Amino acid sequence: QVQLQESGPGLVKPSQTLSLTCTVLGGSITTNGYYWSWLRQPPGKGLEWMGAIAYSGNTFNNPSLKSRTSISRDTSKNQFTLQLSSVTPEDTAVYYCARSDTIPIVPRWDMYDYRGQGTQVTVSS
């Protein structure tokens, strides 16, 4: 059973960089064929795919976020990390990490076989 757990600050000030970490248990982030994504859901809005890092270390980003996202990994800790720069209140959302076996550009939960429980991030001064 694969488990994913998001961690990071619940409150971030505008213009700062948000950093979230996803810790994976029960499976390696380097296992061939899997992609590890970050998604978010703002209040009252739909799910948005933000980006992913593949088993190979290749990264994929949602162009709509205008290069504000950076995804990296620490294979020694079996973790991957999201950094979102220049945050605004519009970045307030529940953030999730999740696993899929295809490049996950479609923001639908049925594309993912495992996901974390989500972490609330609020951007406010």
Side-chain angles (χ1 to χ4, degrees):
Q1 180 79 2
V2 176
Q3 296 179 30
L4 295 88
Q5 179 63 54
E6 305 91 350
S7 60
L11 180 64
V12 184
K13 295 185 186 301
S15 81
Q16 290 185 339
T17 294
L18 167 66
S19 183
L20 295 174
T21 295
C22 183
T23 300
V24 179
L25 302 174
S28 172
I29 61 173
T30 61
T31 298
N32 192 36
Y34 288 111
Y35 300 82
W36 305 87
S37 285
W38 286 100
L39 304 98
R40 67 180 180 178
Q41 187 160 22
K45 296 186 179 180
L47 189 65
E48 178 181 32
W49 175 75
M50 302 182 70
I53 187 163
Y55 58 95
S56 60
N58 290 341
T59 57
F60 308 85
N61 293 299
N62 187 334
S64 70
L65 291 169
K66 298 180 181 177
S67 301
R68 293 197 297 133
T69 56
S70 175
I71 297 175
S72 59
R73 68 181 184 177
D74 185 336
T75 57
S76 68
K77 296 181 180 179
N78 214 36
Q79 296 174 334
F80 61 106
T81 299
L82 169 74
Q83 290 196 311
L84 180 66
S85 62
S86 305
V87 298
T88 72
E90 286 66 42
D91 294 310
T92 294
V94 178
Y95 286 75
Y96 300 89
C97 56
R99 189 186 83 168
S100 64
D101 60 7
T102 58
I103 298 175
I105 60 175
V106 178
R108 288 198 338 246
W109 282 127
D110 62 356
M111 299 292 292
Y112 303 89
D113 56 358
Y114 292 101
R115 63 173 174 170
Q117 62 183 12
T119 187
Q120 173 69 48
V121 175
T122 300
V123 180
S124 175
S125 56

PDB file of all heavy atoms in Angstrom, residues 38-42 46-50 62 64-65 107:
ATOM      1  N   TRP A  38       1.794  17.201  -8.284  1.00  0.00           N
ATOM      2  CA  TRP A  38       1.172  18.150  -7.370  1.00  0.00           C
ATOM      3  C   TRP A  38      -0.086  18.702  -8.038  1.00  0.00           C
ATOM      4  O   TRP A  38      -0.059  19.078  -9.223  1.00  0.00           O
ATOM      5  CB  TRP A  38       2.111  19.301  -7.030  1.00  0.00           C
ATOM      6  CG  TRP A  38       3.195  18.913  -6.093  1.00  0.00           C
ATOM      7  CD1 TRP A  38       4.495  18.599  -6.407  1.00  0.00           C
ATOM      8  CD2 TRP A  38       3.089  18.774  -4.672  1.00  0.00           C
ATOM      9  NE1 TRP A  38       5.200  18.268  -5.268  1.00  0.00           N
ATOM     10  CE2 TRP A  38       4.350  18.375  -4.194  1.00  0.00           C
ATOM     11  CE3 TRP A  38       2.051  18.953  -3.753  1.00  0.00           C
ATOM     12  CZ2 TRP A  38       4.606  18.155  -2.834  1.00  0.00           C
ATOM     13  CZ3 TRP A  38       2.303  18.728  -2.419  1.00  0.00           C
ATOM     14  CH2 TRP A  38       3.559  18.338  -1.965  1.00  0.00           C
ATOM     15  N   LEU A  39      -1.163  18.746  -7.256  1.00  0.00           N
ATOM     16  CA  LEU A  39      -2.423  19.314  -7.716  1.00  0.00           C
ATOM     17  C   LEU A  39      -2.950  20.223  -6.616  1.00  0.00           C
ATOM     18  O   LEU A  39      -2.521  20.139  -5.466  1.00  0.00           O
ATOM     19  CB  LEU A  39      -3.457  18.216  -8.003  1.00  0.00           C
ATOM     20  CG  LEU A  39      -3.059  17.122  -8.993  1.00  0.00           C
ATOM     21  CD1 LEU A  39      -2.563  15.881  -8.255  1.00  0.00           C
ATOM     22  CD2 LEU A  39      -4.217  16.768  -9.892  1.00  0.00           C
ATOM     23  N   ARG A  40      -3.898  21.058  -6.985  1.00  0.00           N
ATOM     24  CA  ARG A  40      -4.516  21.900  -5.972  1.00  0.00           C
ATOM     25  C   ARG A  40      -5.969  22.174  -6.334  1.00  0.00           C
ATOM     26  O   ARG A  40      -6.371  22.073  -7.498  1.00  0.00           O
ATOM     27  CB  ARG A  40      -3.759  23.223  -5.832  1.00  0.00           C
ATOM     28  CG  ARG A  40      -3.838  24.138  -7.047  1.00  0.00           C
ATOM     29  CD  ARG A  40      -3.056  25.402  -6.804  1.00  0.00           C
ATOM     30  NE  ARG A  40      -3.115  26.310  -7.949  1.00  0.00           N
ATOM     31  CZ  ARG A  40      -2.543  27.501  -7.987  1.00  0.00           C
ATOM     32  NH1 ARG A  40      -1.836  27.941  -6.934  1.00  0.00           N
ATOM     33  NH2 ARG A  40      -2.647  28.262  -9.056  1.00  0.00           N
ATOM     34  N   GLN A  41      -6.729  22.526  -5.316  1.00  0.00           N
ATOM     35  CA  GLN A  41      -8.124  22.874  -5.516  1.00  0.00           C
ATOM     36  C   GLN A  41      -8.448  24.106  -4.688  1.00  0.00           C
ATOM     37  O   GLN A  41      -8.576  24.015  -3.458  1.00  0.00           O
ATOM     38  CB  GLN A  41      -9.056  21.722  -5.150  1.00  0.00           C
ATOM     39  CG  GLN A  41     -10.507  21.989  -5.504  1.00  0.00           C
ATOM     40  CD  GLN A  41     -11.321  20.731  -5.589  1.00  0.00           C
ATOM     41  OE1 GLN A  41     -10.982  19.696  -5.023  1.00  0.00           O
ATOM     42  NE2 GLN A  41     -12.423  20.801  -6.316  1.00  0.00           N
ATOM     43  N   PRO A  42      -8.583  25.262  -5.347  1.00  0.00           N
ATOM     44  CA  PRO A  42      -8.975  26.482  -4.622  1.00  0.00           C
ATOM     45  C   PRO A  42     -10.415  26.367  -4.156  1.00  0.00           C
ATOM     46  O   PRO A  42     -11.199  25.596  -4.724  1.00  0.00           O
ATOM     47  CB  PRO A  42      -8.817  27.577  -5.674  1.00  0.00           C
ATOM     48  CG  PRO A  42      -7.957  26.993  -6.738  1.00  0.00           C
ATOM     49  CD  PRO A  42      -8.263  25.531  -6.746  1.00  0.00           C
ATOM     50  N   GLY A  46     -12.366  24.130  -9.429  1.00  0.00           N
ATOM     51  CA  GLY A  46     -12.019  22.771  -9.804  1.00  0.00           C
ATOM     52  C   GLY A  46     -10.583  22.416  -9.498  1.00  0.00           C
ATOM     53  O   GLY A  46      -9.782  23.244  -9.071  1.00  0.00           O
ATOM     54  N   LEU A  47     -10.274  21.159  -9.738  1.00  0.00           N
ATOM     55  CA  LEU A  47      -8.932  20.637  -9.507  1.00  0.00           C
ATOM     56  C   LEU A  47      -7.987  21.123 -10.594  1.00  0.00           C
ATOM     57  O   LEU A  47      -8.337  21.133 -11.779  1.00  0.00           O
ATOM     58  CB  LEU A  47      -9.003  19.111  -9.503  1.00  0.00           C
ATOM     59  CG  LEU A  47      -7.780  18.336  -9.069  1.00  0.00           C
ATOM     60  CD1 LEU A  47      -7.461  18.609  -7.599  1.00  0.00           C
ATOM     61  CD2 LEU A  47      -8.006  16.844  -9.298  1.00  0.00           C
ATOM     62  N   GLU A  48      -6.800  21.521 -10.203  1.00  0.00           N
ATOM     63  CA  GLU A  48      -5.782  21.996 -11.154  1.00  0.00           C
ATOM     64  C   GLU A  48      -4.511  21.168 -10.988  1.00  0.00           C
ATOM     65  O   GLU A  48      -3.984  21.028  -9.885  1.00  0.00           O
ATOM     66  CB  GLU A  48      -5.466  23.468 -10.908  1.00  0.00           C
ATOM     67  CG  GLU A  48      -4.385  24.022 -11.837  1.00  0.00           C
ATOM     68  CD  GLU A  48      -4.060  25.482 -11.556  1.00  0.00           C
ATOM     69  OE1 GLU A  48      -4.159  25.901 -10.396  1.00  0.00           O
ATOM     70  OE2 GLU A  48      -3.683  26.197 -12.512  1.00  0.00           O
ATOM     71  N   TRP A  49      -4.025  20.633 -12.091  1.00  0.00           N
ATOM     72  CA  TRP A  49      -2.734  19.937 -12.074  1.00  0.00           C
ATOM     73  C   TRP A  49      -1.634  20.980 -12.201  1.00  0.00           C
ATOM     74  O   TRP A  49      -1.667  21.821 -13.102  1.00  0.00           O
ATOM     75  CB  TRP A  49      -2.658  18.945 -13.227  1.00  0.00           C
ATOM     76  CG  TRP A  49      -1.327  18.282 -13.364  1.00  0.00           C
ATOM     77  CD1 TRP A  49      -0.821  17.294 -12.575  1.00  0.00           C
ATOM     78  CD2 TRP A  49      -0.319  18.548 -14.344  1.00  0.00           C
ATOM     79  NE1 TRP A  49       0.431  16.939 -13.005  1.00  0.00           N
ATOM     80  CE2 TRP A  49       0.765  17.695 -14.093  1.00  0.00           C
ATOM     81  CE3 TRP A  49      -0.232  19.435 -15.414  1.00  0.00           C
ATOM     82  CZ2 TRP A  49       1.921  17.687 -14.864  1.00  0.00           C
ATOM     83  CZ3 TRP A  49       0.912  19.445 -16.190  1.00  0.00           C
ATOM     84  CH2 TRP A  49       1.983  18.573 -15.915  1.00  0.00           C
ATOM     85  N   MET A  50      -0.649  20.930 -11.300  1.00  0.00           N
ATOM     86  CA  MET A  50       0.404  21.940 -11.265  1.00  0.00           C
ATOM     87  C   MET A  50       1.690  21.468 -11.929  1.00  0.00           C
ATOM     88  O   MET A  50       2.401  22.264 -12.549  1.00  0.00           O
ATOM     89  CB  MET A  50       0.703  22.330  -9.822  1.00  0.00           C
ATOM     90  CG  MET A  50      -0.499  22.862  -9.072  1.00  0.00           C
ATOM     91  SD  MET A  50      -0.077  23.360  -7.413  1.00  0.00           S
ATOM     92  CE  MET A  50       0.920  24.821  -7.751  1.00  0.00           C
ATOM     93  N   ASN A  62       2.722  22.806 -15.533  1.00  0.00           N
ATOM     94  CA  ASN A  62       1.548  23.388 -16.161  1.00  0.00           C
ATOM     95  C   ASN A  62       1.906  24.789 -16.655  1.00  0.00           C
ATOM     96  O   ASN A  62       2.207  25.664 -15.838  1.00  0.00           O
ATOM     97  CB  ASN A  62       0.404  23.452 -15.148  1.00  0.00           C
ATOM     98  CG  ASN A  62      -0.896  23.890 -15.766  1.00  0.00           C
ATOM     99  OD1 ASN A  62      -0.916  24.593 -16.780  1.00  0.00           O
ATOM    100  ND2 ASN A  62      -1.994  23.497 -15.152  1.00  0.00           N
ATOM    101  N   SER A  64       0.214  27.201 -17.534  1.00  0.00           N
ATOM    102  CA  SER A  64      -0.659  28.263 -17.062  1.00  0.00           C
ATOM    103  C   SER A  64      -0.143  28.918 -15.788  1.00  0.00           C
ATOM    104  O   SER A  64      -0.581  30.015 -15.427  1.00  0.00           O
ATOM    105  CB  SER A  64      -2.068  27.727 -16.826  1.00  0.00           C
ATOM    106  OG  SER A  64      -2.097  26.871 -15.693  1.00  0.00           O
ATOM    107  N   LEU A  65       0.773  28.250 -15.110  1.00  0.00           N
ATOM    108  CA  LEU A  65       1.338  28.813 -13.881  1.00  0.00           C
ATOM    109  C   LEU A  65       2.565  29.664 -14.167  1.00  0.00           C
ATOM    110  O   LEU A  65       3.230  30.128 -13.243  1.00  0.00           O
ATOM    111  CB  LEU A  65       1.668  27.695 -12.893  1.00  0.00           C
ATOM    112  CG  LEU A  65       0.435  27.007 -12.319  1.00  0.00           C
ATOM    113  CD1 LEU A  65       0.802  25.740 -11.572  1.00  0.00           C
ATOM    114  CD2 LEU A  65      -0.312  27.968 -11.398  1.00  0.00           C
ATOM    115  N   PRO A 107      -6.494  16.919 -14.985  1.00  0.00           N
ATOM    116  CA  PRO A 107      -6.767  17.015 -13.541  1.00  0.00           C
ATOM    117  C   PRO A 107      -8.052  16.286 -13.143  1.00  0.00           C
ATOM    118  O   PRO A 107      -9.069  16.901 -12.833  1.00  0.00           O
ATOM    119  CB  PRO A 107      -6.887  18.520 -13.308  1.00  0.00           C
ATOM    120  CG  PRO A 107      -7.428  19.033 -14.600  1.00  0.00           C
ATOM    121  CD  PRO A 107      -6.824  18.175 -15.673  1.00  0.00           C
TER     122      PRO A 107
END
